[in-house]
Amino acid sequence: MYEEMYEGAGRDLGKLEKGLINSYVEGAVSRRSFLVRGSVMGLSATFLGSVLAACGDDDDKSSSSGGDIKQGGTIRIATQTPGGPLDPVAMAELGTYTQIVTAFEYLAGPGEGAAVAPMLAESWSPNDDGSVWTFKLRSGVKWHDGSDFTSADVVASLDRLAGSNLSAYIVEGASTAVDDLTVEVALNAPDGQFPYQVSIYNPQAVITPASFELGTTLDAVKTGTGAFKLESFDPATGSTFVRNDDWWGGKPYLDKVEFVFSEDLPTQVTGMAAGEVDAIVQFSVIGGDALLNNGDLTVESIRGAAHRQIWMNVREGEFTDVRVREAVALGIDRQALVDTVLSGRGDIGNDSPIAPSYEGFDSSQPQRERDVDKAKALLEEAGKAGLEVTLYYPELQEIPQMAELIQTQLKDIGMNVTLSLEPYATFYDKWCAVYDSTNEPAGCDGGEDFGIVDYGNRGTPDVYLVKAYATGEWNSAHYNSEEFNAAVAEYQAAIDLDTRKAAVKKIQEIANRDVPYVIPYFYNSLTAYKKNVSGIRATGLGHYYLGKAGFTA
């Protein structure tokens, strides 16, 4: 039976792919996990569907487009003002992501649920241990200036990222152009999920032309391979994109896309509720009632791993003693936060970035509950009773309300928290500032000692684990644990589900014990659009794919 299934793949399957198929057939892997992991290994949706059907599970989870879409029209979309330059490599927040990914694309795009699907790469496959991945590129793709997209563009893009975003995975020169449409990538260490790092779930991994240099911005060089081309950009007010008639995905329905920028959510929500715009990229429950209860709108709720992270500097300052950090974690009422700022639209967190929605999440770990008396005792033991600190956070969605509740909750344990609200446009300049980079983890070694930062939805926890914990890129807690890093390496190298689950269990336990970050909840990402709009594909991470979108009436 297995051999017959293998033959339907259209290519020779290696140890990883065969092992996954066998596990699904034997009932060791769920349908969801099979689709997600199969997509990461480069198995086509058609082939995965044939395996499901052979096992008696051919349930069609696809949704209809919602009606016949008309050709033409301009869609107006409310979105967060970009917090920095339109730099594909250095971007770090929602507003900039949305602009960049309207023009640029990834090797792998969104599939069903948390799965990935072909985008600029038509297919990909690993060697037997996941240390080398081969990507077959889509033919006939053009840059917006009419030039051909080739493997040289992919190699140059990955080399640029090797010194920053992908430094934990590859070094410069690790990517090789086998021919014009084939790229081979040799990893620093085996990784059974590497395609996620060159997909939508790693926003900075967009593919840019070989001629790009570090620091090149989209508004300076208007190009891309996506369904829409940048026409104009004003960092304060908005941008306009026009249809790319030569898009490899076919002629888009829409003529234009206009993004309307705003730094505050109320303005975006008011514009959406008043019909001044046709869609809003992302909004929160608090301040979003006018949209949630509007019968003229379609509201999508994306459950995943998006979360707010409360960081504490473990290297210097008031939080070097783990007892102080544990006191903060015990002083926060997670259920109250979920009920108040999310209206229940989320999952309670347990101070690790492994969300309950992830396959392999260890539900046996005891949930940290609020314990005011124990928190007070820990502060006294650490000599920090009456601790006075400042909490820094951005003006983004429900975060200001979250900060106010935390201030009140921590007052109950004897902490006096001063709130410091930062404009979204400038917050990221301070959050991960650099001042010496001589102590590991180097990179994000400056910034403030205590604050809240947002992390968008990812299909796997790799980005969180590597960048916020194991490297210096986004490690605002300055956390450096050999034990944790070893568990992450074990997780990444795992080629079977049992090994991966064992590593995830360790990761959850270590993060919960060391508490460099408090993760009180994982929130559902909310987006909304008018009833006469169809075909939008949102990811909960700032991507708002419109290549197949348009108006139905």
Side-chain angles (χ1 to χ4, degrees):
M1 178 182 179
Y2 293 156
E3 293 302 326
E4 292 177 0
M5 288 185 180
Y6 301 158
E7 291 174 2
R11 63 175 170 85
D12 292 335
L13 299 181
K15 181 179 178 182
L16 291 180
E17 298 101 312
K18 289 180 179 179
L20 174 63
I21 294 168
N22 296 354
S23 295
Y24 178 70
V25 173
E26 293 163 7
V29 172
S30 69
R31 179 186 189 277
R32 176 182 178 277
S33 181
F34 175 68
L35 289 174
V36 172
R37 295 174 64 203
S39 72
V40 174
M41 293 178 187
L43 299 175
S44 71
T46 300
F47 174 65
L48 293 172
S50 71
V51 175
L52 293 176
C55 295
D57 183 1
D58 57 355
D59 186 18
D60 183 4
K61 302 294 184 181
S62 62
S63 59
S64 65
S65 63
D68 293 333
I69 300 176
K70 300 188 305 181
Q71 189 70 46
T74 297
I75 190 170
R76 288 172 55 81
I77 302 171
T79 188
Q80 188 73 39
T81 303
L86 301 188
D87 184 334
V89 175
M91 61 178 178
E93 37 69 40
L94 178 73
T96 308
Y97 290 171
T98 303
Q99 300 304 297
I100 293 292
V101 301
T102 300
F104 290 114
E105 296 176 305
Y106 300 84
L107 291 179
E112 179 182 324
V116 289
M119 194 172 239
L120 290 178
E122 216 167 40
S123 65
W124 50 87
S125 58
N127 63 352
D128 280 349
D129 69 353
S131 62
V132 178
W133 288 80
T134 301
F135 294 84
K136 297 290 186 180
L137 306 181
R138 193 179 296 278
S139 63
V141 177
K142 300 283 187 181
W143 291 104
H144 289 165
D145 64 4
S147 59
D148 291 332
F149 160 75
T150 72
S151 56
D153 300 308
V154 175
V155 169
S157 296
L158 296 183
D159 278 348
R160 281 190 286 274
L161 291 165
S164 57
N165 182 270
L166 292 178
S167 61
Y169 302 92
I170 58 174
V171 296
E172 188 173 350
S175 305
T176 305
V178 178
D179 57 42
D180 282 350
L181 295 175
T182 307
V183 174
E184 187 177 271
V185 184
L187 308 184
N188 298 339
D191 190 332
Q193 299 191 128
F194 178 69
Y196 265 105
Q197 307 314 317
V198 288
S199 80
I200 58 166
Y201 290 109
N202 185 12
Q204 292 80 5
V206 290
I207 302 301
T208 51
S211 59
F212 263 41
E213 299 177 353
L214 287 174
T216 302
T217 61
L218 172 60
D219 51 314
V221 181
K222 297 181 176 68
T223 188
T225 56
F228 295 92
K229 302 185 286 187
L230 179 63
E231 182 179 66
S232 63
F233 172 74
D234 183 316
T237 61
S239 63
T240 300
F241 290 78
V242 296
R243 184 180 66 228
N244 175 17
D245 289 333
D246 295 323
W247 183 44
W248 59 265
K251 181 179 178 180
Y253 293 107
L254 295 165
D255 294 327
K256 283 188 176 183
V257 178
E258 292 183 359
F259 288 103
V260 180
F261 297 159
S262 177
E263 290 191 10
D264 65 283
L265 181 62
T267 300
Q268 296 177 50
V269 169
T270 299
M272 184 77 234
E276 297 170 358
V277 294
D278 304 297
I280 182 171
V281 172
Q282 197 173 110
F283 69 98
S284 58
V285 172
I286 288 186
D289 288 350
L291 306 185
L292 291 170
N293 303 314
N294 190 326
D296 295 327
L297 303 178
T298 297
V299 175
E300 287 187 20
S301 180
I302 304 170
R303 180 178 183 244
H307 60 273
R308 309 308 189 189
Q309 181 194 82
I310 304 167
W311 82 82
M312 294 170 282
N313 187 344
V314 306
R315 194 169 66 198
E316 55 197 3
E318 303 287 2
F319 299 98
T320 56
D321 191 323
V322 69
R323 292 173 294 185
V324 178
R325 303 196 298 274
E326 185 180 355
V328 172
L330 290 169
I332 290 175
D333 188 333
R334 297 152 202 267
Q335 189 63 60
L337 290 177
V338 170
D339 292 343
T340 303
V341 303
L342 302 182
S343 292
R345 291 177 170 85
D347 297 304
I348 289 178
N350 203 20
D351 305 333
S352 111
I354 309 295
S357 61
Y358 283 141
E359 192 84 29
F361 170 75
D362 180 20
S363 60
S364 69
Q365 183 181 40
Q367 173 64 51
R368 178 170 277 142
E369 303 285 354
R370 192 178 197 221
D371 190 330
V372 172
D373 290 338
K374 184 176 180 181
K376 286 181 176 179
L378 286 169
L379 286 178
E380 290 177 2
E381 289 174 17
K384 297 291 184 179
L387 178 63
E388 296 188 2
V389 294
T390 298
L391 179 70
Y392 296 84
Y393 56 95
E395 189 172 5
L396 176 65
Q397 297 176 20
E398 89 292 353
I399 292 180
Q401 290 76 24
M402 174 190 180
E404 290 171 3
L405 285 171
I406 289 172
Q407 179 189 45
T408 300
Q409 292 172 358
L410 294 184
K411 187 174 183 179
D412 292 343
I413 70 170
M415 279 183 64
N416 297 311
V417 178
T418 299
L419 300 181
S420 179
L421 175 65
E422 295 280 348
Y424 183 79
T426 59
F427 172 80
Y428 290 91
D429 295 334
K430 301 177 181 179
W431 160 63
C432 218
V434 175
Y435 71 89
D436 63 36
S437 289
T438 57
N439 295 315
E440 292 296 333
C444 181
D445 60 355
E448 307 295 348
D449 287 349
F450 189 42
I452 305 171
V453 69
D454 59 299
Y455 277 85
N457 185 37
R458 260 77 176 190
T460 69
D462 296 61
V463 169
Y464 309 139
L465 297 176
V466 172
K467 294 182 180 179
Y469 289 79
T471 72
E473 188 168 2
W474 294 339
N475 191 341
S476 43
H478 317 321
Y479 178 64
N480 189 15
S481 164
E482 291 185 8
E483 182 185 12
F484 186 89
N485 294 351
V488 171
E490 182 182 328
Y491 158 82
Q492 291 180 299
I495 61 174
D496 63 83
L497 187 58
D498 288 342
T499 304
R500 190 175 293 276
K501 282 184 174 180
V504 166
K505 182 180 178 68
K506 292 179 186 177
I507 288 168
Q508 289 183 219
E509 291 174 347
I510 299 169
N512 182 273
R513 180 197 70 204
D514 291 353
V515 214
Y517 305 101
V518 173
I519 299 177
Y521 59 72
F522 298 89
Y523 64 92
N524 294 356
S525 301
L526 301 175
T527 187
Y529 42 87
K530 290 180 178 178
K531 290 288 188 183
N532 69 332
V533 173
S534 184
I536 290 175
R537 184 66 189 273
T539 66
L541 191 54
H543 307 87
Y544 221 57
Y545 287 115
L546 303 163
K548 302 296 183 183
F551 296 100
T552 59

